[in-house]
Every structure is written in C-alpha cells, then in structure tokens.
Amino acid sequence: MPATPLHALNAAGQSIWLDYIDRTLVVSGELARRIGDDALTGMTSNPTIFEKALAQGTAYDAQLGTLASDRTPWAIFEAVECDDVRSACDVFRATYDATDGRDGYVSIEVSPGAAHDTAGTVQEARRLWRAVDRPNVMIKVPGTAAGCGALRQLIADGINVNVTLLFACSAHALVIDAYLAGLEDRVASGGELNRVASVASFFVSRVDTEVDKRLAAIGTPAALALLGTSAVANAKLAYALFLDRFSGPRWAALVAKGARVQRPLWASTGTKNPEFSDVKYVEALIGRDTVNTLPPATLEAFRDHGKVAQTVDVDVENARRAIEQIEALGISLNEVTDKLLVEGLASFQQSFDSLLAGIEKKTAALVRQRAEARQQKLVV
C-alpha cells in the first residue's frame, strides 16, 4: 500500500480521527480497511452525526423496530449509539493495544442538556461508560464550568474523557487544571494512571467564521488583512498553553505515576470559507501530541494534496500579535468565543431534539408496518 500524506501526518505525531460514524461504515469492513489506507487511529461522534446517520437508509430499521415497543426515543437512541460505538471500539482495539492505550479511541457524547449540570454529566457519563464497556471509549463532556467539574470526577474514576466545544484559551486552561486535579485525586485514592486518557477538543474554523464576519464589517485595509488569521492563531496559543502546563514539578510528579498528557484535539477543521484552502486547518496545526478530527471531505482532500510540516509551534509570537491586532480593532475574542460556545451547545441540542423526534416518527412507522404485516398474514 503506497504511503499518503495522511500517513506522513501520522508519522509527524498527529493522530487522525475520523469525525463521522455510521453503522454501515463500521460493519461493512470499510472502517477496518481505512485504518490502514488512511492511517486512522480513532473516531468521534456527536448528536449531529448520529442524526444524519439515522435519517439515511435502512441500516438501523431492524434494531429500531425491536426497540420501539417498550423504550423512549432517548433510550432507543442510546441503545443504538452504544452499539455503534462499541462495534467501532472493537475495530480500533488493535490500534489501542499496539499504541499501549495512547490511541484507538472512539468518542460518545453525553446529552447537551447536561452541559451546565456537573452531577448530571457525571451520572450520564458513568452510564455510557458502563453501557459501551470498552477500555478505548471516550466520553465527551462539554467544556463548560460544569463540564470541568465533571471532568475532574470522571478522570478520578478512571474514565477516559474527551472535553468538547473549547473555543477559548482561558477555557482550555481550566480544562487542563481539572484534568491534572482529577489525576491527583485518582493517585490519592490509590488508582493507577497509565490507562487514563483524555483529549481537549479545541474548535478551529468556527472562530474564523465569526471573527472574519466582524473584520469584514469594519472593512478597513488593516481589518481585511487579518481575515483568516484568528482561528489558527488562537489554536497555536492553545498549543503553547498545553506545552507550558504539561511541564514543571506538578506534571513531573504525575508522570512518575504513569500519567499521560491531555492531548489537544483540533475539531471543526473542515474549511467553511471557499476562498481558503480546503486543508487550511490541517496543514497549519501539525505537531506532536495532537489529534485532528477530520470530516470525510477534509480527509479526502488531505490525502490528495496535503502538505506535512511541523507548524503548530511555528510563529507563535506572530499568532499572538494577530490576536492583539484583532482586539485593537475592537473585536473581543472572549466575546467571540463565549458566543461560539453558546451557539455550539444550542446547535447540538437542536440536533439532539431533531434526532429524538426523527426516532419517534420512524419507530412509529415501523411498528405500524409490522402490525399491518401481521394483519395481512392473519387475513391470508
């Protein structure tokens, strides 16, 4: 099999996780094939992805039909997603074992309704952890204040966590601190650290979308010169924060107990502005101890023409200056990232609500079809 830019990306220290899941991909053998062909080492899911998967085709109809009679739409969805994630974990298990637990993870998300409820998030995360029952599952919790509290408890429990919807470096700092505190709590209770894993999902392209809208409204040459710079600059500062926090005496004490870094994961890396390169948010953020979750179209584009070089820690001071210049024009990055977090939670909630409504409608139709089929048999 010829090496591709995706293999070079993996060799540069960046794990490639597919930002997509559906049953056909998992059970057909295509996912297993792409682990080799595309250097995939993990997979992520969320309500939006499952909403699309369940709405297309008939791959889920048999299971939906058997569950429809005695479960709520939420319980049906949880059963379906746990089955898919469990199967995907099994496909990635060889990767997990070969990397000694560094990679091979599949993420499953708590419901967005628990985003501001620490106890609710912990309870749901524990339930999903037990339901999937695989060492290479990661439970996704939101990067809210409540999510940080949940992260600390879950890490102390020994549960792998993917912290999602991070837009601001200040939020990233709180997440890192919660992760370290969770590891310390686990040590204090006698737990082992060598199989506890976590990533911090830092969203990228959405920052450019919002900031560029504001820069375009200002419309001066100085503002227009900064178009397309904020997202990568923000992510590079997040990586610099990661390097700083995972060093020093506090971290060294945890490493001595077997701790692993909480890797930055670049999310929302599909290019939304057609004037930008379709691999912009991959090429600009390559470096060791990182993950990039690639939507299918971006993965295909990078395989075709991606260029690999160490970039995530290059020109960090220029990144800092770009943010300062944007702020000097009157655009508050804190305001932007706060807005994006609220919108991200609302978008996931909308997808979740739409998903449950779709399941209710589909299961009702399947029950009706089965009843009609039984009636026809009786008539015959």
Side-chain angles (χ1 to χ4, degrees):
M1 178 188 66
T4 71
L6 293 168
H7 294 86
L9 185 62
N10 186 268
Q14 184 165 91
S15 295
I16 305 165
W17 291 6
L18 182 65
D19 194 23
Y20 183 74
I21 188 172
D22 73 24
R23 182 158 296 177
T24 301
L25 173 69
V26 176
V27 303
S28 66
E30 182 182 354
L31 178 59
R33 176 185 63 77
R34 296 184 70 168
I35 288 174
D37 291 355
D38 294 337
L40 293 183
T41 58
M43 175 179 272
T44 56
S45 67
N46 61 46
T48 303
I49 290 172
F50 269 107
E51 181 189 14
K52 293 176 182 176
L54 282 163
Q56 298 169 357
T58 59
Y60 295 90
D61 286 4
Q63 184 178 16
L64 292 177
T66 61
L67 297 172
S69 60
D70 61 348
R71 302 201 196 190
T72 64
W74 187 342
I76 291 171
F77 166 60
E78 194 166 288
V80 167
E81 72 163 345
C82 284
D83 279 355
D84 279 8
V85 169
R86 189 182 304 111
S87 296
C89 282
D90 290 344
V91 176
F92 278 107
R93 182 59 187 264
T95 303
Y96 175 81
D97 291 339
T99 60
D100 195 28
R102 170 184 167 82
D103 243 319
Y105 291 95
V106 182
S107 295
I108 186 171
E109 187 156 4
V110 299
S111 62
H116 301 294
D117 178 358
T118 295
T121 297
V122 169
Q123 181 181 23
E124 192 170 338
R126 286 171 173 166
R127 187 177 71 250
L128 290 172
W129 175 259
R130 290 192 299 268
V132 176
D133 191 26
R134 295 295 186 271
N136 55 326
V137 67
M138 272 193 173
I139 312 299
K140 291 176 79 171
V141 304
T144 58
C148 283
L151 167 66
R152 178 173 181 171
Q153 180 60 62
L154 294 170
I155 292 299
D157 289 348
I159 293 174
N160 307 318
V161 180
N162 177 342
V163 186
T164 189
L165 288 175
L166 291 174
F167 296 95
C169 287
S170 56
H172 189 199
L174 295 175
V175 165
I176 293 172
D177 190 62
Y179 175 64
L180 296 176
L183 291 174
E184 289 163 344
D185 291 346
R186 185 161 176 78
V187 169
S189 66
E192 296 184 352
L193 303 185
N194 62 328
R195 286 288 173 166
V196 182
S198 181
V199 295
S201 293
F202 204 84
F203 281 53
V204 185
S205 67
R206 296 187 198 183
V207 175
D208 267 349
T209 300
E210 182 63 29
V211 171
D212 285 3
K213 181 170 64 178
R214 302 182 185 207
L215 290 170
I218 295 171
T220 63
L224 297 178
L226 290 165
L227 291 172
T229 63
S230 60
V232 168
N234 192 42
K236 286 191 173 191
L237 295 183
Y239 186 76
L241 175 68
F242 157 75
L243 293 177
D244 177 67
R245 293 298 176 89
F246 286 97
S247 63
R250 183 185 186 186
W251 177 239
L254 289 168
V255 170
K257 299 288 187 179
R260 302 169 185 263
V261 295
Q262 182 188 55
R263 291 184 292 170
L265 179 153
W266 311 128
S268 184
T269 53
T271 301
K272 295 174 175 59
N273 187 336
E275 295 184 7
F276 297 159
S277 163
D278 56 1
V279 292
K280 171 182 173 71
Y281 302 108
V282 185
E283 290 183 340
L285 297 172
I286 298 171
R288 302 204 68 78
D289 289 322
T290 59
V291 181
N292 201 315
T293 53
L294 299 178
T298 306
L299 186 142
E300 298 293 337
F302 198 86
R303 184 205 293 118
D304 180 68
H305 52 266
K307 300 292 190 296
V308 176
Q310 177 85 11
T311 53
V312 70
D313 56 355
V314 174
D315 293 330
V316 176
E317 286 310 309
N318 284 339
R320 206 178 306 277
R321 278 193 291 273
I323 298 298
E324 290 170 354
Q325 290 167 350
I326 289 167
E327 297 264 1
L329 290 169
I331 298 173
S332 167
L333 198 62
N334 284 337
E335 180 185 313
V336 166
T337 54
D338 286 349
K339 179 176 185 288
L340 291 172
L341 175 58
V342 170
E343 290 178 348
L345 289 169
S347 176
F348 277 8
Q349 184 66 59
Q350 183 178 20
S351 292
F352 192 69
D353 292 343
S354 177
L355 170 67
L356 296 185
I359 288 175
E360 186 170 23
K361 181 178 179 180
K362 195 163 192 177
T363 51
L366 290 168
V367 168
R368 187 168 57 252
Q369 289 169 12
R370 288 166 61 192
E372 290 172 353
R374 284 197 299 269
Q375 186 62 33
Q376 287 176 356
K377 285 183 180 180
L378 289 175
V379 171
V380 173

